[in-house]
Amino acid sequence: MSNSFPKYHVPVLSEELVDSLSVKPKGKYIDCTLGEAGHTQAILESTKPAPTILGIDLDLDAISSSIKSLDSYSKNVTLVNDNFGNLKAIAAKNGFSSVDGVFFDLGLSSLQLEKQGRGFSFRSDDYLDMRFDKNQDFTAWDVINTYHEKDISRIVANYGEESKPDRIAKAIVRNRPIDTTLQLSTVVIKALKRPWNKIHPATRTFQAIRMEVNGEMENLESALCQSQEVLSPGGRLAVISYHSLEDRLVKNFLTQKHREGDTLRIINKKVIKPSDTEIRLNRRSRSARMRVAERI
Ligand SMILES: C[S@@+](CC[C@H](N)C(=O)[O-])C[C@H]1O[C@@H](n2cnc3c(N)ncnc32)[C@H](O)[C@@H]1O
């Protein structure tokens, strides 16, 4: 049954995810990045009787929105506001210690990007926040206003893959205090002096700061390791990433496990990408890459 609850987020590679997980009737799945529950809903609708899903999100807004949109499946879903870095413990606590599939759809949702006040976007003028978890004390303001210049440069280079990180870091330090997203994007635009056509000059810097604030690479690495322990034999792991650094981490992890030959076997030798049609309909999908493995 399709739900008409209004959503900001269009799920990416949804059909491919459902296929890759080989969803089983009454199977058990963990959605580590629930967001607006687009993928969870697609999986619930893909088979009868519907599977059961444990949905995890660090952002309480995502949980609240999903409770409403998944109302008709309330018996099939358990929603938990937590960090997927605690995957094993969350799974154990909720009776999902041995499951048929675990999946991740990394990054941030359109709900987070478009809702005012979250500080993720340079398109609105908000306090420099960027936290997925609103209970966390550490914000983007702290990174921008308290980090050493060389650390800002390193983050912008590593997580943003920005070609002029030193210039940006220097400009940030020179213009402190920087309190808002608009101030930060203005500083970056001036520092880069880059002609601005399709991609906003501050895109990479904002992405880098967000990844630092939320410890995204560390959480992903830890959760991937834990996912092997909650998958039952034949269970599938699928990861959709939007950033080459994340995709590399996933690829290296899966390749290593595949070579070791005792926990995970890579299913798709070639990374799965969105079709031209999907990219045309949802531009956000253009950088998506999905990798899938099976528990041995
Ligand atoms: C791209 S969105 C997922 C969208 C979702 N697949 C859908 O179809 O609606 C990513 C979500 O992951 C959540 N997230 C990011 N890091 C997380 C973490 N460490 N633990 C739990 N949730 C996290 C974000 O809050 C965001 O809601």
Side-chain angles (χ1 to χ4, degrees):
M1 189 198 341
S2 175
N3 196 310
S4 59
F5 193 82
K7 293 184 180 188
Y8 290 82
H9 191 86
V10 179
V12 172
L13 289 171
S14 201
E15 271 179 41
E16 292 84 348
L17 176 69
V18 171
D19 287 349
S20 300
L21 290 173
S22 293
V23 180
K24 293 182 189 160
K26 288 193 177 173
K28 276 186 150 183
Y29 295 86
I30 306 181
D31 180 348
C32 293
T33 49
L34 182 70
E36 286 196 82
H39 285 141
T40 278
Q41 190 153 353
I43 289 164
L44 287 166
E45 287 170 359
S46 70
T47 170
K48 279 197 174 100
T52 48
I53 303 190
L54 170 63
I56 304 170
D57 206 294
L58 199 43
D59 187 342
L60 196 54
D61 287 354
I63 301 291
S64 310
S65 136
S66 298
I67 288 174
K68 291 180 196 148
S69 64
L70 296 173
D71 188 40
S72 53
Y73 282 106
S74 57
K75 289 201 179 100
N76 296 72
V77 293
T78 305
L79 305 183
V80 177
N81 179 212
D82 205 329
N83 191 324
F84 60 56
N86 305 319
L87 178 59
K88 230 180 113 180
I90 304 167
K93 198 172 163 195
N94 291 281
F96 281 76
S97 286
S98 176
V99 298
D100 302 295
V102 173
F103 58 97
F104 297 81
D105 177 25
L106 301 168
L108 77 169
S109 71
S110 305
L111 175 71
Q112 291 162 327
L113 195 62
E114 282 160 35
K115 210 170 165 195
Q116 270 212 308
R118 301 300 302 266
F120 286 113
S121 173
F122 39 75
R123 297 193 199 286
S124 58
D125 193 19
D126 292 318
Y127 175 72
L128 276 173
D129 188 328
M130 300 197 196
R131 294 166 302 167
F132 289 141
D133 177 4
K134 290 185 198 166
N135 291 318
Q136 176 182 304
D137 290 332
F138 181 60
T139 65
W141 190 95
D142 297 307
V143 177
I144 294 298
N145 290 286
T146 68
Y147 273 32
H148 284 295
E149 186 177 320
K150 65 173 180 1
D151 291 325
I152 296 179
S153 174
R154 173 183 50 78
I155 289 162
V156 171
N158 290 350
Y159 294 161
E161 299 184 310
E162 172 61 67
S163 58
K164 306 246 179 339
D166 291 347
R167 259 202 224 174
I168 293 172
K170 196 171 192 171
I172 287 174
V173 170
R174 200 186 313 125
N175 285 282
R176 283 171 176 172
I178 299 173
D179 296 322
T180 69
T181 49
L182 186 63
Q183 280 176 280
L184 177 60
S185 72
T186 307
V187 167
V188 175
I189 290 169
K190 281 191 186 156
L192 288 178
K193 298 188 193 99
R194 190 179 280 163
W196 171 7
N197 32 41
K198 274 189 186 155
I199 296 181
H200 190 290
T203 304
R204 289 171 178 275
T205 302
F206 270 62
Q207 171 184 283
I209 304 299
R210 188 203 81 214
M211 290 177 78
E212 172 70 9
V213 169
N214 296 293
E216 292 180 36
M217 296 301 284
E218 295 85 350
N219 284 324
L220 176 60
E221 193 168 8
S222 164
L224 287 176
C225 288
Q226 295 174 55
S227 66
Q228 324 164 70
E229 300 184 46
V230 297
L231 281 168
S232 51
R236 296 268 171 105
L237 167 67
V239 187
I240 302 172
S241 52
Y242 299 83
H243 184 293
S244 55
L245 210 62
E246 282 168 348
D247 183 50
R248 211 173 307 144
L249 193 155
V250 177
K251 183 182 173 188
N252 291 342
F253 170 79
L254 294 181
T255 306
Q256 188 196 331
K257 295 294 157 194
H258 187 88
R259 285 203 188 116
E260 288 168 6
D262 51 6
T263 49
L264 291 168
R265 179 173 73 86
I266 292 175
I267 294 291
N268 60 320
K269 294 269 181 289
K270 267 182 114 181
V271 71
I272 299 170
K273 298 180 187 176
S275 64
D276 292 345
T277 311
E278 177 165 10
I279 295 173
R280 207 169 44 248
L281 294 172
N282 180 14
R283 233 180 95 68
R284 218 194 124 257
S285 70
R286 67 194 184 283
S287 53
R289 303 285 177 269
M290 179 163 71
R291 297 188 185 271
V292 188
E294 187 175 271
R295 182 76 167 92
I296 294 168

